[in-house]
Amino acid sequence: MYNYILSIHIIFVVCWFAGLFYMVRLFIYHTEAQQKPEPDRRILSEQFVIMERKLWYIITVPSMVFVVAAGLTMLYILPAWLQQPWMHLKLVFVVLLLVYHFVCQNIMKQMAKGIFKRTSTQLRLWNEVATILLFAIVFLAVLKNAVNWIYGLVGLVLLTILLMIGVKIYKRIRTKDQ
């Protein structure tokens, strides 16, 4: 039974992250559409609101619910996992991912009301937060006790720096092309 639940957990983790990654991409396009002249801005904004709402409530939220339900079920079946330090750290990252999820929901609701508090560059950096959480969660789940926490932390910091540099380079290239 455990392996079936684990399979469901993994499938919906993929779906959840796909939803989160694409959602923030839509936020970026939605934000950049605000620079367009009317009526393009209005038409694009209305379309992005529809796309964001459908992606969120049809894919992202249900996937998150299945991930959490499957994860809790696995912990119920094998409560010994809760004795493991790697699981404690993984659960910290999962909580951070849930916070990220609900912040994205808040951003979506603000944009639907015409409130744009973040630039497209800030949103590109925000998108990388999910990438960092994904790396941390997967490495902890796969390596378990084999992971050296210091190397893992250094690796995450280096990944974060590389992602931020990549976003900045992309912004320069994009600005230069315009």
Side-chain angles (χ1 to χ4, degrees):
M1 187 69 170
Y2 181 86
N3 286 334
Y4 289 107
I5 296 167
L6 176 60
S7 297
I8 288 169
H9 184 70
I10 292 168
I11 289 165
F12 283 102
V13 164
V14 171
C15 295
W16 186 20
F17 271 98
L20 289 172
F21 287 141
Y22 189 49
M23 179 59 74
V24 179
R25 181 76 13 225
L26 288 175
F27 292 163
I28 292 165
Y29 298 149
H30 195 165
T31 298
E32 290 176 348
Q34 302 314 298
Q35 307 306 313
K36 303 280 186 196
E38 288 296 345
D40 295 353
R41 177 185 340 173
R42 181 184 49 77
I43 293 167
L44 287 169
S45 288
E46 288 172 2
Q47 186 60 42
F48 283 123
V49 167
I50 292 166
M51 293 169 67
E52 290 161 359
R53 189 177 43 231
K54 285 183 177 183
L55 173 64
W56 195 253
Y57 291 111
I58 295 172
I59 296 172
T60 312
V61 170
S63 296
M64 181 263 308
V65 170
F66 278 109
V67 167
V68 171
L72 291 172
T73 302
M74 288 187 297
L75 290 174
Y76 177 77
I77 291 170
L78 287 174
W81 284 130
L82 290 171
Q83 307 294 324
Q84 303 297 317
W86 68 269
M87 180 58 80
H88 299 160
L89 190 55
K90 179 187 173 202
L91 292 174
V92 167
F93 284 114
V94 170
V95 167
L96 291 174
L97 182 60
L98 288 165
V99 169
Y100 180 90
H101 174 98
F102 289 108
V103 169
C104 285
Q105 182 171 307
N106 188 44
I107 293 169
M108 178 188 71
K109 288 180 178 182
Q110 288 175 344
M111 288 183 166
K113 294 176 184 175
I115 302 167
F116 296 86
K117 293 183 176 181
R118 293 157 188 86
T119 65
S120 62
T121 301
Q122 289 171 329
L123 290 167
R124 281 182 173 84
L125 290 170
W126 177 247
N127 202 33
E128 302 313 326
V129 171
T131 304
I132 293 162
L133 292 171
L134 175 64
F135 270 73
I137 291 166
V138 169
F139 274 103
L140 283 166
V142 171
L143 298 177
K144 296 178 179 52
N145 289 330
V147 71
N148 182 317
W149 304 119
I150 294 171
Y151 290 129
L153 183 61
V154 169
L156 266 179
V157 169
L158 289 174
L159 174 65
T160 303
I161 292 168
L162 287 173
L163 289 170
M164 288 183 179
I165 290 170
V167 168
K168 293 293 183 181
I169 290 170
Y170 175 74
K171 181 181 179 184
R172 284 191 188 135
I173 292 169
R174 206 176 98 242
T175 305
K176 193 182 288 186
D177 289 344
Q178 293 174 350

